[in-house]
Amino acid sequence: MISNVIAGNWKMNHGPSATRKFFEDFFPDLSFPEPRILIFPPAISLLAAVEARKGRPEVALGIQNIYWEPKGAYTGEHAAGMAVSAGAEYVLVGHSERRHVFGETDEQVQQKVLAAFGEGLIPLICVGETLEERQDNRVDEVIVRQIRAALNGIPETATQFLLAYEPVWAIGTGETATPSDAGSAHGILRDVMTEILGGDRASEVPILYGGSVNSSNVSDLLDVPNVNGVLVGNASLDASSFAAIAESA
Ligand code: PEP
């Protein structure tokens, strides 16, 4: 399994020129080619990112969202195949902002996962509970439901994907799950995957932690069993802070 995956989700930040500037600053700051780095720029900046990262195979690019239909009258959406032809290798699916700001359902997440596999895009599937769900002691129930729905019907041949446990209350808030809470959620996700996919396949899936990760807390989180990388929002926007996270990893 690839471990120590460092993924950056830029959300709705950095147009094409800011993207070029990010990479100009990022590569000199990055001395370690070791961790696998994934960057998810806005779709409109993907081509600029493809150009800017030429010759740096340790950095792969992804799209933040896809629609499940291959083409058609879906204004504003991007199909999986279009993302591939623009240079994306990965796609974020089920990010909490898609679920909670845009109302994406478990079924829609599943359709997007299937569409991604259909075009050879590698999905990074996000799950996580809200604060209310945590306070109601429903963490396990929520993440198990989300992961079961997302993996429902995936083809036997679909071996490559990643998961991210991102508690909604930790995203963009400065609050981070304790290593023990992260370990417990990641352990549950590994167990459910083992049940669904079998041990050999499940052990190959990196599970990332996301939620206010920065260069000070990344090492402690990566020490936790079953935490195989991190998904970073705010701290991935600045080239030097994202490079510092990659270095700490
Ligand atoms: C995210 O957007 O996936 C995320 C984890 O954001 P932040 O690091 O800002 O909490």
Side-chain angles (χ1 to χ4, degrees):
M1 181 215 299
I2 40 165
S3 59
N4 284 7
V5 179
I6 309 297
N9 170 20
W10 288 356
K11 313 188 189 201
M12 200 172 72
N13 297 285
H14 290 348
S17 45
T19 295
R20 283 187 280 272
K21 174 83 176 82
F22 173 93
F23 282 103
E24 271 167 38
D25 296 340
F26 182 60
F27 285 129
D29 279 347
L30 188 72
S31 60
F32 251 92
E34 219 17 71
R36 183 65 167 148
I37 294 171
L38 313 180
I39 296 184
F40 294 86
I44 203 165
S45 301
L46 204 42
L47 288 176
V50 167
E51 277 298 307
R53 64 126 247 194
K54 265 197 183 131
R56 300 297 300 238
E58 73 273 30
V59 176
L61 298 169
I63 189 162
Q64 295 174 13
N65 181 39
I66 51 167
Y67 192 59
W68 52 83
E69 294 293 346
K71 63 177 182 172
Y74 304 103
T75 301
E77 297 292 332
H78 302 96
M82 293 159 60
V84 171
S85 75
E89 291 173 64
Y90 293 81
V91 57
L92 281 181
V93 186
H95 188 275
S96 80
E97 286 146 23
R98 299 297 321 170
R99 292 180 191 266
H100 297 290
V101 180
F102 298 101
E104 208 163 282
T105 63
D106 285 345
E107 290 69 29
Q108 290 171 335
V109 168
Q110 182 217 10
Q111 282 180 281
K112 291 180 181 197
V113 169
L114 292 176
F117 282 132
E119 294 292 342
L121 258 187
I122 303 172
L124 196 178
I125 303 164
C126 305
V127 300
E129 80 287 355
T130 61
L131 183 59
E132 201 183 0
E133 289 162 340
R134 171 162 284 266
Q135 286 166 341
D136 288 348
N137 289 322
R138 293 177 51 221
V139 177
D140 304 7
E141 173 208 314
V142 171
I143 64 176
V144 168
R145 189 201 74 224
Q146 291 175 336
I147 186 64
R148 281 194 190 286
L151 298 183
N152 186 17
I154 65 165
E156 287 274 318
T157 48
T159 46
Q160 243 195 321
F161 68 96
L162 301 89
L163 282 191
Y165 170 60
E166 296 208 300
V168 180
W169 48 270
I171 297 183
T173 59
E175 305 249 354
T176 315
T178 61
S180 136
D181 286 340
S184 147
H186 284 232
I188 289 165
L189 292 173
R190 184 77 64 203
D191 289 348
V192 174
M193 279 197 297
T194 302
E195 192 194 303
I196 298 174
L197 305 172
D200 289 350
R201 260 172 103 193
S203 66
E204 286 302 309
V205 178
I207 309 177
L208 279 47
Y209 168 79
S212 299
V213 172
N214 56 43
S215 58
S216 314
N217 58 26
V218 65
S219 310
D220 284 348
L221 288 159
L222 288 174
D223 278 345
V224 177
N226 283 311
V227 176
N228 313 116
V230 286
L231 177 53
V232 186
N234 281 335
S236 72
L237 292 176
D238 177 69
S240 61
S241 89
F242 194 48
I245 292 174
E247 298 285 315
S248 311

